[in-house]
Amino acid sequence: MARHDVPGDRPAEQPPDAGQDRRELIRLAAVELFARHGYRGTTVRAIAERAGVDPALVMYHYGSKENVFSTVIRETMRAEELLPELPRLLDEVADTDSADDPAADGTCPGGPGSRLLRGFLTRWEDAATRPSLLVVFRSAMEHPEASQLFREVAGGELLLPLARRIPAPDPELRAALVASLLVGLVTGRYVVPIEPLAGMELDTVVGLYGPYADDMLLGRLGGSPPPGRPGG
Amino acid sequence: MARHDVPGDRPAEQPPDAGQDRRELIRLAAVELFARHGYRGTTVRAIAERAGVDPALVMYHYGSKENVFSTVIRETMRAEELLPELPRLLDEVADTDSADDPAADGTCPGGPGSRLLRGFLTRWEDAATRPSLLVVFRSAMEHPEASQLFREVAGGELLLPLARRIPAPDPELRAALVASLLVGLVTGRYVVPIEPLAGMELDTVVGLYGPYADDMLLGRLGGSPPPGRPGG
DNA sequence: ACTTCTGTTCAACGGATGTTGAGGATCCAG
DNA sequence: CTGGATCCTCAACATCCGTTGAACAGAAGT
């Protein structure tokens, strides 16, 4: 019997070149195809063909199509993989002492929001990483498991730790705001590219969106007149 | 032969109660299912069953599954349907004379961006309209035709007219910025709901996002966000 | 009454899909 | 040499898919 196990026990006792290379080949093919055509648009046979392998081997290694998908999603959605510089960014967010008016100082060219933005976008710019991210992103709109996993990781492992460090009122709200800003940006730049957003330089994008991200994290929410919600 | 015509010639000469009610019933069932399960996740048989009709009748009226989908998409993506108050909003955008510093006047509780936001969100809040919007939104990430149509309508009929009226530099860029803001907001509130964004009152959302939308439309890009210093 | 047209159903087709069971190849232990 | 274990292929399975052709009911025109 092969190991179709989702759990994290990786014995890694057998020689790494024996069999596991084909399994990895299948996974990579699956990432590519899931990213392009979504869950239902990708067939087990297509994955096998792209990996140069018999369809039955996919079942042998993963047990089911659903399990291939699960594996790909979970692999991608590990926070360390998704945003390796997260701990450093968290510290930067917490280090910002001018909580109420971060821009009045005039000395910060890019606040923590800008740096968070740049971190994510850098991952997306990498042609090797983008397919994996696209899998999660696209299928979060199609596949229930992907949707839930997306919520769990995005919320629990990224936004919540971020929110806890924000030295400003309503941290969860601020985290959600930045998240939605990022989702919109990524969608318009990589998923359904619209110009001129898709063609701009990374630095230009960060320069444009950064101030909004910074303000969402540390600024005074609600703009000029506080509509109904007393911030603090 | 039935009329599987996509083109806009609507003779509407035959009695409206003859046969056309079943056709409409099928379309409504399709909207609901496409919204929930996407294009590939929805089968002709499922549409037929939900409409209480034989699968062959779907083919008779629409010719193909692809055509059912096209019809649904095009029906939803008509600008008048999508945002009926667009002309009024365009005038409001153009009427803002304080191009450089819209917030300094202190008399506008919500700028044109806020009103644009409110217009879209109001459509999304309507439980009867939301499925249609979800169809377009979800399948723009899955189906090539939906993606292209989304780009055409969103870009050509909404953003471009909007951009032309903006009394500020880089109008296309500003339109794209607002679009991405809206996409992120809608995604986090309706498509993959995340808290506290999904549970907030409409007014609260407009109060939070409005200033950013206003600044994207009329503010000084790349500089300080709305509550910051006046850009002089 | 006879035909014609439209709306509708029924039963079926060919093809694609996820999955499986039997078995081949290779290697290592007894 | 035997026997199990691991990796892998082949051929097939049952099911579901979109689509089609034949046929039927009813209204309308002749």
Side-chain angles (χ1 to χ4, degrees):
Chain A
M1 187 177 56
R3 36 186 87 66
H4 321 137
D5 39 357
V6 175
D9 51 304
R10 304 241 148 202
E13 294 173 319
Q14 68 276 2
D17 53 292
Q20 291 309 95
D21 49 349
R22 307 282 283 267
R23 184 183 156 109
E24 185 65 7
L25 222 62
I26 291 173
R27 211 203 88 225
L28 290 178
V31 167
E32 200 84 20
L33 291 181
F34 280 140
R36 264 215 278 277
H37 306 116
Y39 179 74
R40 315 217 197 204
T42 301
T43 70
V44 174
R45 285 171 159 89
I47 295 174
E49 188 183 16
R50 180 170 243 268
V53 141
D54 191 275
L57 191 62
V58 178
M59 307 306 293
Y60 172 74
H61 276 303
Y62 290 92
S64 70
K65 177 188 176 183
E66 183 71 31
N67 212 333
V68 180
F69 185 72
S70 271
T71 305
V72 168
I73 295 279
R74 287 173 200 274
E75 198 80 10
T76 304
M77 279 300 259
R78 288 189 354 249
E80 321 89 65
E81 187 90 8
L82 204 64
L83 191 63
E85 57 269 57
L86 181 66
R88 186 169 54 78
L89 282 168
L90 290 183
D91 288 341
E92 286 187 12
V93 174
D95 267 358
T96 313
D97 36 74
S98 57
D100 265 23
D101 196 358
D105 193 88
T107 58
C108 47
S114 298
R115 279 192 272 265
L116 186 71
L117 226 63
R118 184 181 294 274
F120 270 108
L121 289 182
T122 303
R123 300 301 285 172
W124 277 90
E125 292 293 322
D126 183 3
T129 320
R130 199 184 299 181
S132 311
L133 293 171
L134 267 174
V135 178
V136 176
F137 211 83
R138 273 208 146 101
S139 50
M141 310 231 166
E142 175 194 7
H143 199 85
E145 173 171 9
S147 181
Q148 184 183 343
L149 220 66
F150 182 82
R151 234 176 306 213
E152 284 177 15
V153 175
E157 301 189 35
L158 292 177
L159 295 186
L160 212 59
L162 179 71
R164 290 199 205 287
R165 307 259 188 144
I166 296 176
D170 300 310
E172 293 93 355
L173 173 59
R174 291 170 188 274
L177 283 174
V178 174
S180 78
L181 185 77
L182 213 100
V183 165
L185 169 54
V186 163
T187 304
R189 187 170 164 87
Y190 305 107
V191 185
V192 186
I194 55 173
E195 293 302 337
L197 197 55
M200 295 188 319
E201 288 291 325
L202 176 75
D203 286 340
T204 313
V205 179
V206 175
L208 280 170
Y209 282 81
Y212 299 116
D214 288 334
D215 186 72
M216 286 172 172
L217 281 184
L218 300 167
R220 187 162 62 90
L221 296 183
S224 17
R229 178 91 186 73
Chain B
M1 185 178 54
R3 35 189 87 67
H4 320 138
D5 35 38
V6 176
D9 49 306
R10 303 241 148 202
E13 295 173 318
Q14 68 277 0
D17 53 291
Q20 291 308 96
D21 49 351
R22 308 283 281 267
R23 185 185 154 108
E24 184 65 7
L25 222 62
I26 291 173
R27 211 203 87 223
L28 291 178
V31 167
E32 199 84 19
L33 291 180
F34 280 141
R36 264 214 279 277
H37 307 116
Y39 179 74
R40 315 218 191 195
T42 301
T43 70
V44 174
R45 285 170 158 89
I47 295 175
E49 188 183 16
R50 179 171 244 268
V53 142
D54 191 274
L57 191 62
V58 178
M59 307 306 293
Y60 173 74
H61 276 303
Y62 291 93
S64 69
K65 176 188 178 182
E66 183 72 29
N67 212 332
V68 181
F69 185 73
S70 272
T71 305
V72 168
I73 295 279
R74 286 173 200 274
E75 197 80 10
T76 304
M77 279 301 258
R78 291 190 351 253
E80 321 88 65
E81 187 89 10
L82 204 64
L83 192 63
E85 57 269 58
L86 181 66
R88 185 168 56 78
L89 281 168
L90 290 184
D91 288 341
E92 287 187 12
V93 174
D95 268 357
T96 313
D97 37 77
S98 57
D100 265 24
D101 196 358
D105 192 88
T107 59
C108 48
S114 298
R115 280 192 272 266
L116 186 71
L117 226 63
R118 183 182 294 275
F120 270 108
L121 289 183
T122 303
R123 300 301 286 173
W124 277 91
E125 291 293 322
D126 183 3
T129 320
R130 198 183 299 179
S132 311
L133 293 171
L134 266 173
V135 177
V136 177
F137 210 85
R138 273 207 147 101
S139 51
M141 310 233 166
E142 173 195 9
H143 199 85
E145 173 171 7
S147 181
Q148 186 183 343
L149 220 66
F150 182 83
R151 235 176 307 214
E152 283 176 16
V153 175
E157 300 188 35
L158 292 177
L159 295 185
L160 213 59
L162 179 72
R164 290 199 205 288
R165 307 260 188 141
I166 296 176
D170 301 312
E172 293 93 356
L173 173 59
R174 290 170 190 274
L177 284 174
V178 174
S180 78
L181 185 77
L182 212 98
V183 164
L185 169 53
V186 163
T187 303
R189 187 170 164 86
Y190 304 108
V191 185
V192 186
I194 54 174
E195 294 301 338
L197 198 54
M200 295 188 320
E201 289 290 324
L202 176 74
D203 287 340
T204 312
V205 178
V206 174
L208 280 169
Y209 282 81
Y212 299 117
D214 288 334
D215 187 73
M216 286 171 172
L217 281 184
L218 300 167
R220 186 163 64 87
L221 296 183
S224 26
R229 325 157 309 170

